[in-house]
Amino acid sequence: MDYKAKMLRDDALKGKTYVVTGGGSGLGKSMTKYLLELGAQVVITSRNLEKLEKAAKELEEQTGGKVLPLQCDVRDYDAVCEMRDKSIEHFGKIDGLLNNAAGNFISPTERLSSNAFDTIIDIVLKGTKNCTLAFGKYWIDHKETQKTVLSIVTTYAWTGSAYVVPSATAKAGVMAMTRSLAVEWAKYGIRFNAIAPGPFPTKGAWDRLLPGELKEKFDLSKKVPLNRVGDHQELANLSAYLLSDFAEYLNGEVITIDGGEWLKGAGQFNLLEQIPEEMWDMLEMMIKSKKNK
Ligand code: HXC
Ligand code: NAP
């Protein structure tokens, strides 16, 4: 068995229904595929209906599961409520929401228009708020329990990051919302968690974060102590677990899955990794020779 293997047993999500925002591409599509393989039914939603319908057909053929593609811009609260109502009308109930939709691009912040900054905040923070509020209020009003919300953030939600400032700002907000509601809405039987992934190659992210030659210039796997990028199945395994009832006691957690990437950047002496093995004898001697001097 290796890290690309599927983790949960086949029927782990039988009878469950989830909504995955941004479920028609990238990581959202990979996570949706695994939810279906585990027996769940899934609503995938984003702005591009044609893309969603194509993905839904492909996923149904691959897994034998049921997928409902629904167009919805998460920035529009009324559209989100309509998407929620159609989802419930179609599947009868929704057990979990996976806030995965996002927008991002690299830019020096002084080059951004106010609208450019707002666009990212609106998709990531306001979009996550819109979906969370729409589903949360419904579950609370209808006294439905054993529900869960999982949001995809990033490791720079903690650290911040230059050149992706709107995204870092918005993801930090999503993390705060996750932890806050984990406490406030636990009494209604709703759990909140988040995942902070390191680099997991997708076309959507790589085209906007490593455009053109940057893909060759900046090999993100070199920043990771484990020396590789993430495999989509590794994220799918973690998200399926967090959305499942096996994670009933997990609430308010933000789990990093990045091969140690952000800690490598953080540790003050981590750069000593560059020192060759044979130099350590000499360095040790130099340090010891300073004893009592
Ligand atoms: C400066 C830019 C820009 C750029 C757009 N804008 N791209 N400014 N540099 N590269 C400005 C525009 O000029 C405009 O401002 C404003 O942003 C809105 O642009 P639109 O194109 O009208 O927006 P919209 O059609 O809503 O598209 C949103 C988008 C786009 C975010 C700009 O890229 C998109 O649809 N992204 C969705 C998918 C995505 O981003 N996936 C990556 C997620 S990766 P003005 O003032 O001119 O009107 C991720 C990974 C994190 O989050 C961690 C990885 C390790
Ligand atoms: P992606 O394929 O570009 O995914 C983004 C998705 O969001 C798309 O399906 C897009 O669909 C949807 N979307 C964007 N704006 C929307 C809106 N206004 N309303 C509804 N849907 C919208 O990129 P990805 O790499 O898979 O990213 C998925 C998630 O992982 C994001 O939250 C991202 O921040 C996070 N993440 C990714 C990485 C990585 O290395 N890939 C690392 C850390 C975190 P439409 O264009 O059809 O709307």
Side-chain angles (χ1 to χ4, degrees):
M1 214 203 58
D2 66 12
Y3 60 81
K4 294 181 184 171
K6 295 169 187 182
M7 188 175 81
L8 295 181
R9 63 180 191 223
D10 287 350
D11 64 349
L13 299 178
K14 201 160 178 238
K16 296 284 187 189
T17 309
Y18 299 101
V19 169
V20 180
T21 67
S25 68
L27 300 179
K29 189 174 171 192
S30 298
M31 291 187 282
T32 297
K33 184 171 179 224
Y34 192 43
L35 297 177
L36 292 163
E37 286 171 342
L38 293 169
Q41 309 181 102
V42 185
V43 179
I44 55 173
T45 177
S46 80
R47 297 164 300 179
N48 183 340
L49 185 60
E50 205 182 311
K51 182 174 90 178
L52 290 171
E53 285 174 341
K54 194 164 161 267
K57 188 165 176 282
E58 187 187 316
L59 289 168
E60 285 194 340
E61 280 167 10
Q62 284 172 345
T63 66
K66 287 264 167 293
V67 184
L68 175 66
L70 288 180
Q71 185 172 35
C72 170
D73 188 326
V74 292
R75 291 172 282 194
D76 177 347
Y77 187 67
D78 291 341
V80 169
C81 290
E82 201 180 311
M83 177 271 287
R84 173 202 62 197
D85 294 344
K86 281 185 183 163
S87 302
I88 292 167
E89 191 183 301
H90 189 85
F91 285 125
K93 59 161 185 149
I94 296 296
D95 297 296
L97 165 68
L98 177 45
N99 286 312
N100 164 79
N104 200 1
F105 51 78
I106 48 165
S107 176
T109 307
E110 67 276 16
R111 287 173 59 99
L112 294 176
S113 68
S114 173
N115 184 46
F117 207 119
D118 281 352
T119 299
I120 304 306
I121 299 281
D122 285 353
I123 301 172
V124 177
L125 181 54
K126 193 172 152 194
T128 302
K129 176 277 289 178
N130 282 343
C131 294
T132 303
L133 206 58
F135 281 93
K137 276 167 168 281
Y138 178 93
W139 290 327
I140 293 166
D141 288 349
H142 290 78
K143 300 197 169 24
E144 292 187 10
T145 57
Q146 221 178 20
K147 305 295 175 186
T148 187
V149 177
L150 176 63
S151 298
I152 307 299
V153 294
T154 57
T155 51
Y156 59 62
W158 277 287
T159 60
S161 175
Y163 302 102
V164 283
V165 172
S167 171
T169 308
K171 294 285 193 184
V174 172
M175 192 159 81
M177 183 162 46
T178 299
R179 289 171 167 161
S180 306
L181 286 176
V183 175
E184 191 179 330
W185 284 0
K187 61 179 175 283
Y188 298 122
I190 311 173
R191 289 187 299 117
F192 285 81
N193 291 294
I195 298 176
F200 284 74
T202 64
K203 186 168 169 15
W206 261 229
D207 283 354
R208 292 171 176 92
L209 302 174
L210 295 169
E213 283 180 3
L214 293 193
K215 283 186 193 66
E216 283 79 52
K217 273 205 172 116
F218 297 107
D219 179 354
L220 291 189
S221 65
K222 296 220 167 73
K223 288 181 70 228
V224 181
L226 291 176
N227 224 11
R228 67 172 175 87
V229 291
D231 184 85
H232 285 209
Q233 186 60 41
E234 294 179 285
L235 181 67
N237 284 338
L238 180 58
S239 60
Y241 165 66
L242 289 173
L243 287 167
S244 79
D245 292 342
F246 293 117
E248 265 295 294
Y249 205 50
L250 243 157
N251 187 30
E253 201 50 66
V254 185
I255 299 181
T256 297
I257 176 164
D258 75 341
E261 184 202 29
W262 87 264
L263 287 172
K264 180 173 176 173
Q268 204 160 32
F269 286 93
N270 289 352
L271 81 176
L272 296 186
E273 217 174 45
Q274 290 162 25
I275 292 181
E277 195 58 37
E278 58 275 15
M279 243 178 107
W280 278 110
D281 280 343
M282 187 186 69
L283 292 169
E284 185 178 336
M285 254 171 36
M286 283 166 74
I287 296 164
K288 284 182 172 171
S289 73
K290 299 289 174 200
K291 205 168 153 186
N292 302 328
K293 280 192 186 158

